[in-house]
Amino acid sequence: MTEPKLKPDEVASIDYVVPPEGWTRTLPDLRKGTFNYGANPKSAQYLGLPNPRAWQPMEADWKLPPDWQRIVLEGLRERLSKYRSLQVFMDVCVRCGACADKCHFYIGSGDPKNMPVLRAELLRSVYRNDFTAAGKILGSLAGARPLTIDVIKEWFLYFYQCTECRRCSVFCPYGIDTAEITMMGRELLNLLGLGIDWITTPASNCFRTGNHLGIQPHGFKDSVDFALDDLESIFGVRVEAPINKKGAEILFVVPSADYFGDPHYFGFLGYLALFHEIGLDYTLSTFASEGGNFGLFHSSEMMKRLNAKIYAEARRLGVKWIIGGECGHMWRVLHQYMDTMNGPADFLEAPVSPITGTPFENAASTKMVHIAEFTADLIKHGKVKLDCSRNDHWRVTFHDSCNPARAMGLFEEPRFVLKSVCNNFFEMPENTIREETFCCGSGSGIGTDENLEMRMRGGFPRANAVRHVHEKHGVNLLACICAIDKATLPPLMEFWVPGVQVAALHELVGNALVMKGEKRTGDLRGQPFAAEKGGKKDA
């Protein structure tokens, strides 16, 4: 039987009326299109996770351990003791509702349990019941409720309807980070073996082959060689990309989608062309062939294990420091958790650009520089020649990817680069960008096909802002610096704003780059340039 096709006008018909039943009496509705499939038991077993078995959320029996309540409550007790922030977040919320309409999933679904305050309350109510005197004495009068199977199913449904984007935390007057509560909720679920496959299997692949997609080392090399052939056909210049080169100055780490997915691949071509043109001494790695970190969406321990791989390879290859490609969760892990979990990386040198001499003081501890910062510095110091007219067939806007932007503060560098390589750049409305940026609606491992309706709902606010500049300025390209965005924004645009394509920042850099000895008439996608002269900038 063919599945009914989602229609934008139907999805956009959102009812914000609060249900007459109280939220504690509303059972979780595991409706098709709103949840993700359970983890593959082979992947869970490979990672050594608890309770690996075949199960699916739509089944009545989730095959939990006999003592599942004890496991969850002991896990919560441990985390309350380990993370003081969690204890504070459990106690300090006054349920003012300042965050309620800031979540893209609530805006797109109208479901009150997608209000960040109420999503956190799903866990906070169990905390009150078992860990506070008021909850033990007064019960529901104190906002407490016991841990039941329905509560577990509710956690699964709503903690995987949160992309951990942290937009709600920007508006919380008490500084509560509801994303951290989601992360703790997912950790507790995973103690019971209640993970989703698009987190568990990529993490398993990363340990097994070095990347989320499960690409073997020889497959990685083949992909890089294919990219080099493509670059030669486009530029007429032969580019080299060292792999596993010991003693290189810089280790370059990219998300695996960059060398295997579309439109990520065109940004990968841009990286390689840029590095060749400036003569950078770098190496790629088959072991660290993944910058992304799906551990962020699973647990603190998984995040730590995956992040360690990058630094283990940097040590093995004997590099001085690291450049990271366009990826969101890689940078949140590095920027916010690296030093606590794995660092500081004292065996590496504080990054200094070998091309401009600029010290990247913000990376003095992690020893890892974002590619947007590195490229912005090159352009600022006039180290590359650019022809903006080569991007004149694009009218560009920029999506602030949640993790590099809101979590890392990387706002101006990508804009500086875009304005240096494009003549036609237009901002979306101010309350939808920078630290207030709307999420793609598919991050944190929930960008799967079975979850498509919720993805389209969660991405609605971002798409609405794109539609504004599409209609007002004729924008036809949405640029971003996150691998998940490049994977999930194209179907979002196709659904809500047909006619707008998605691109990596460094695709546009590669388009504008004027290489020595080049012979080219088209961009990295093989499209002819809108104009063959004019608009040149010696940056």
Side-chain angles (χ1 to χ4, degrees):
M1 180 178 175
T2 304
E3 293 292 331
K5 188 175 181 180
L6 290 174
K7 297 179 181 179
D9 57 341
E10 294 175 357
V11 176
S13 180
I14 303 165
D15 182 6
Y16 293 105
V17 177
V18 177
E21 290 284 335
W23 71 268
T24 59
R25 294 187 295 276
T26 306
L27 295 177
D29 180 16
L30 287 156
R31 181 171 51 82
K32 194 165 187 178
T34 62
F35 63 87
N36 298 83
Y37 292 152
N40 184 315
K42 290 183 179 179
S43 298
Q45 190 170 23
Y46 187 87
L47 291 170
L49 300 180
N51 196 24
R53 80 278 181 220
W55 75 284
Q56 288 302 336
M58 68 285 287
E59 298 169 351
D61 182 6
W62 285 15
K63 303 174 185 176
L64 303 182
D67 58 343
W68 64 269
Q69 287 174 308
R70 178 194 63 80
I71 292 171
V72 171
L73 294 176
E74 285 188 2
L76 180 54
R77 188 185 308 278
E78 177 188 346
R79 284 156 181 78
L80 288 166
S81 173
K82 186 177 181 180
Y83 304 113
R84 187 173 183 273
S85 58
L86 179 60
Q87 180 78 61
V88 172
F89 294 161
M90 289 293 99
D91 289 331
V92 77
C93 178
V94 297
R95 297 184 287 285
C96 67
C99 64
D101 61 345
K102 308 306 186 295
C103 177
H104 45 281
F105 279 109
Y106 174 64
I107 295 172
S109 70
D111 186 339
K113 291 181 185 178
N114 271 323
M115 296 178 182
V117 59
L118 191 44
R119 187 186 293 115
E121 200 72 11
L122 304 180
L123 178 58
R124 194 176 283 118
S125 58
V126 173
Y127 160 75
R128 290 198 195 96
N129 189 74
D130 289 270
F131 296 91
T132 68
K136 290 176 181 178
I137 296 169
L138 299 175
S140 61
L141 293 176
R145 62 174 180 163
L147 182 64
T148 66
I149 290 289
D150 284 335
V151 168
I152 289 294
K153 292 185 175 183
E154 192 175 53
W155 285 7
F156 181 87
L157 183 61
Y158 290 101
F159 288 143
Y160 288 107
Q161 284 184 16
C162 169
T163 51
E164 304 175 9
C165 82
R166 287 183 158 143
R167 190 172 194 265
C168 53
S169 67
V170 173
F171 298 92
C172 177
Y174 292 93
I176 296 172
D177 190 344
T178 305
E180 294 281 350
I181 297 175
T182 290
M183 292 163 70
M184 292 300 103
R186 290 188 181 188
E187 285 201 20
L188 296 175
L189 289 169
N190 277 290
L191 294 177
L192 303 178
L194 296 177
I196 65 173
D197 195 51
W198 191 228
I199 294 174
T200 307
T201 292
S204 173
N205 285 341
C206 201
F207 282 111
R208 185 170 54 85
T209 68
N211 55 75
H212 292 153
L213 299 177
I215 299 168
Q216 300 283 350
H218 60 277
F220 172 74
K221 184 180 185 305
D222 286 346
S223 295
V224 174
D225 288 344
F226 186 87
L228 299 178
D229 290 342
D230 263 0
L231 280 173
E232 186 171 18
S233 68
I234 294 167
F235 284 91
V237 176
R238 186 63 191 178
V239 174
E240 300 299 327
I243 299 175
N244 297 337
K245 175 187 173 184
K246 288 193 173 182
E249 182 169 359
I250 294 165
L251 171 63
F252 182 44
V253 181
V254 300
S256 53
D258 275 3
Y259 51 86
F260 211 76
D262 181 353
H264 320 65
Y265 176 71
F266 305 114
F268 185 64
L269 295 179
Y271 302 149
L272 300 183
L274 177 67
F275 289 171
H276 171 85
E277 186 62 18
I278 62 175
L280 190 68
D281 180 18
Y282 77 101
T283 184
L284 295 160
S285 163
T286 54
F287 179 74
S289 55
E290 179 64 74
N293 193 325
F294 271 41
L296 174 65
F297 314 139
H298 181 278
S299 66
S300 300
E301 182 58 30
M302 191 68 69
M303 188 196 323
K304 177 180 179 179
R305 289 166 65 187
L306 287 171
N307 192 61
K309 291 175 82 282
I310 295 173
Y311 288 89
E313 185 67 340
R315 186 190 295 272
R316 185 185 75 85
L317 293 175
V319 301
K320 293 181 180 179
W321 53 284
I322 310 169
I323 292 178
E326 296 182 19
C327 177
H329 37 95
M330 168 167 64
W331 287 103
R332 177 145 149 223
V333 171
L334 286 161
H335 187 67
Q336 297 194 321
Y337 301 107
M338 162 62 193
D339 283 349
T340 303
M341 296 187 308
N342 303 104
D346 292 336
F347 64 94
L348 295 172
E349 297 180 10
V352 176
S353 173
I355 311 302
T356 67
T358 298
F360 293 98
E361 296 176 357
N362 60 309
S365 181
T366 64
K367 312 297 194 294
M368 194 162 178
V369 173
H370 194 287
I371 185 69
E373 299 173 287
F374 183 76
T375 301
D377 178 64
L378 292 174
I379 294 172
K380 180 180 178 181
H381 287 88
K383 298 301 182 181
V384 289
K385 180 177 285 188
L386 303 168
D387 182 351
C388 290
S389 72
R390 292 177 169 183
N391 281 312
D392 279 355
H393 52 306
W394 297 123
R395 297 177 69 79
V396 185
T397 192
F398 181 66
H399 166 64
D400 287 281
S401 303
C402 300
N403 289 317
R406 192 158 31 241
M408 191 180 172
L410 195 65
F411 302 130
E412 301 310 322
E413 291 85 347
R415 286 178 167 80
F416 175 75
V417 172
L418 278 174
K419 292 173 183 178
S420 299
V421 300
C422 296
N423 287 318
N424 306 306
F425 174 69
F426 307 92
E427 288 279 19
M428 286 181 273
E430 192 63 32
N431 64 340
T432 72
I433 59 174
R434 294 186 170 87
E435 67 272 10
E436 295 185 29
T437 186
F438 276 116
C439 180
C440 68
S442 303
S444 78
I446 63 176
T448 57
D449 288 346
E450 71 267 18
N451 193 42
L452 186 60
E453 179 186 334
M454 193 49 60
R455 286 173 54 192
M456 295 302 102
R457 290 186 179 280
F460 171 70
R462 167 45 75 224
N464 198 41
V466 175
R467 181 163 53 193
H468 172 78
V469 289
H470 173 63
E471 294 175 350
K472 184 175 181 180
H473 301 293
V475 162
N476 59 4
L477 191 71
L478 176 60
C480 58
I481 54 172
C482 171
I484 286 183
D485 285 334
K486 292 167 209 166
T488 62
L489 285 172
L492 188 73
M493 293 299 101
E494 183 181 353
F495 187 78
W496 290 113
V497 201
V500 176
Q501 297 187 55
V502 177
L505 173 67
H506 278 78
E507 175 184 345
L508 299 173
V509 172
N511 285 348
L513 183 66
V514 180
M515 294 181 71
K516 299 179 188 70
E518 68 169 38
K519 298 175 182 178
R520 63 187 298 208
T521 57
D523 67 9
L524 296 180
R525 300 190 185 201
Q527 302 174 129
F529 293 134
E532 291 188 7
K533 60 182 179 179
K536 285 190 178 180
K537 289 187 180 181
D538 291 336

